[in-house]
Amino acid sequence: ENACMIDTVEKAALSHTDISFSLTVDGRSVLHTSGNGKLRDVIYIIYGQEVTAGLMEISFELPPCRITGYAGRPVVSRSRRDMEIFFVNGRPVRSAILQKAAEDAFAPYMMQHRFPMVILRIDLPPEMVDVNIHPRKTEVRFTDSPAVCGAVQDALTAALRA
């Protein structure tokens, strides 16, 4: 239960960097963010200096899609997909197609069975996103999935080539 609660607060802090979050579990402080609006600072607080040092900033626009956030360099890879974090219009979501887009962009740079670290904010017009797929609203469907996935892949590929 604690792990689920910590994960929920971490996702909220990553999504709303302009709000200060504080979480105490069993009398010890687990998380405290400043609310200064800087995603990199929240990533530092949650994942530490080593992960933050290996980040690439992502800023990409292919109308009507805008993608911002951070991706870890290929050396910051993981054995699980738990560090592939996506926010669509501020909402934390799980999306197999977004994961595939990220993994495809990183594929030439990583060993097999390793997964990238990405924390991406994807902003789209609301009419392009259907959040009524899952009761918890954690899964989404896009009206133009290939365009959104292509934009994610292009954004990450551009950062990797830079």
Side-chain angles (χ1 to χ4, degrees), residues 35-153:
N36 67 3
K38 296 179 181 177
L39 178 59
R40 190 178 187 93
D41 290 352
V42 177
I43 294 170
Y44 180 86
I45 289 166
I46 295 172
Y47 300 111
Q49 180 181 2
E50 186 177 321
V51 168
T52 307
L55 294 179
M56 303 175 289
E57 187 169 7
I58 308 295
S59 183
F60 186 84
E61 192 159 349
L62 185 62
C65 188
R66 183 169 182 264
I67 301 168
T68 58
Y70 290 91
R73 298 188 192 291
V75 295
V76 187
S77 66
R78 300 285 188 239
S79 60
R80 299 180 316 171
R81 289 184 171 99
D82 61 338
M83 294 282 281
E84 296 178 359
I85 302 169
F86 302 95
F87 300 97
V88 175
N89 294 346
R91 177 188 307 271
V93 299
R94 287 180 302 182
S95 170
I97 61 171
L98 292 177
Q99 287 177 326
K100 180 169 179 1
E103 291 166 15
D104 287 350
F106 274 84
Y109 304 95
M110 294 175 57
M111 293 173 39
Q112 277 188 323
H113 309 295
R114 300 295 292 178
F115 301 98
M117 181 222 178
V118 294
I119 299 173
L120 296 180
R121 296 175 175 180
I122 303 162
D123 294 310
L124 296 164
E127 61 272 9
M128 288 187 67
V129 183
D130 183 1
V131 297
N132 295 313
I133 304 303
H134 191 276
R136 283 194 246 154
K137 312 281 191 223
T138 57
E139 296 177 24
V140 294
R141 183 176 295 142
F142 303 106
T143 56
D144 191 356
S145 293
V148 174
C149 291
V152 168
Q153 192 167 352

Side-chain angles (χ1 to χ4, degrees), residues 4-57:
C4 184
M5 179 177 56
I6 292 167
D7 183 62
T8 300
V9 175
E10 286 176 349
K11 295 277 182 356
L14 289 166
S15 177
H16 302 286
T17 57
D18 55 334
I19 298 172
S20 176
F21 286 85
S22 181
L23 177 63
T24 304
V25 177
D26 296 329
R28 98 182 148 84
S29 178
V30 175
L31 176 75
H32 180 77
T33 65
S34 67
N36 67 3
K38 296 179 181 177
L39 178 59
R40 190 178 187 93
D41 290 352
V42 177
I43 294 170
Y44 180 86
I45 289 166
I46 295 172
Y47 300 111
Q49 180 181 2
E50 186 177 321
V51 168
T52 307
L55 294 179
M56 303 175 289
E57 187 169 7

